Amino acid sequence: MLIGVISDTHGYYDSQIDARFAGVDLIIHAGDIGGEPVRSALARIAPVVAVRGNADVGQLGRLPLIQTVEAEDARLLVTHIAGLPERMSREVRRAYEQMRPDAVIFGHSHQIQAAIADGGTLFFNPGAAGKQGFHTVRSIGLLEVHGRAITARHIELHPRYATRTGD
């Protein structure tokens, strides 16, 4: 199973995402979507699971803070603000300890991360795909799931301030 992972779009949709996520079975948006048009554009590619980010308001403010996803035999915990276990909020830590997921997918920091911690759990942040924030490169991620094994990779889009026709 191939999963596209994106976060912190803040209302910006890069046209490269269509090609980069072509063929994915599912898209996970780890919050700070920033507008329904972004979610709609992703849904044209594949089904979308999304969580609410700290900047999501209106309709998007009704999204859950935490989602669980079953991907083949793997259990994924999705939230916007997580970090490694020692930095989790009480609510996220409780969900993490109950679920013991194979991967925790999160955003918020705008920093690319793929770390194995706490008994083999993958902590994956795709970085930020939007233009707002302090990141220098916009990025997304892909997770390839085989049973409970998960392979993660990041895909750099453009420097944050780059402009192209159609962007």
Side-chain angles (χ1 to χ4, degrees):
M1 179 175 202
L2 187 61
I3 301 172
V5 183
I6 188 168
S7 186
D8 297 282
T9 47
H10 294 280
Y12 177 74
Y13 187 82
D14 188 317
S15 59
Q16 282 190 82
I17 293 167
D18 293 339
R20 301 297 187 137
F21 281 172
V24 300
D25 300 296
L26 178 70
I27 296 172
I28 294 174
H29 197 301
D32 280 356
I33 299 166
E36 193 57 45
V38 171
R39 189 163 66 161
S40 296
L42 292 170
R44 287 193 293 273
I45 300 169
V48 177
V49 171
V51 293
R52 174 181 34 172
N54 59 299
D56 287 323
V57 296
Q59 288 266 35
L60 298 173
R62 296 186 192 131
L63 289 169
L65 288 173
I66 299 170
Q67 289 264 41
T68 58
V69 175
E70 299 290 327
E72 294 204 10
D73 297 328
R75 297 176 316 264
L76 313 177
L77 176 69
V78 183
T79 191
H80 183 59
I81 302 172
L84 295 175
E86 60 273 9
R87 295 185 171 258
M88 290 179 179
S89 69
R90 185 176 298 132
E91 183 178 5
V92 174
R93 180 183 276 297
R94 190 175 319 121
Y96 171 78
E97 288 173 353
Q98 288 174 350
M99 184 182 181
R100 287 295 171 191
D102 298 294
V104 175
I105 298 165
F106 61 101
H108 186 62
S109 71
H110 293 218
Q111 300 300 303
I112 289 172
Q113 181 177 347
I116 303 295
D118 198 79
T121 299
L122 169 66
F123 285 79
F124 186 78
N125 185 331
K131 290 186 174 183
Q132 290 181 335
F134 53 85
H135 55 285
T136 57
V137 175
R138 293 182 285 115
S139 60
I140 58 177
L142 288 174
L143 299 179
E144 195 167 337
V145 182
H146 295 283
R148 288 187 68 192
I150 302 170
T151 304
R153 70 182 172 107
H154 292 95
I155 299 169
E156 290 188 358
L157 299 172
H158 290 294
R160 185 173 128 209
Y161 298 106
T163 57
R164 300 180 331 158
T165 305
D167 279 2

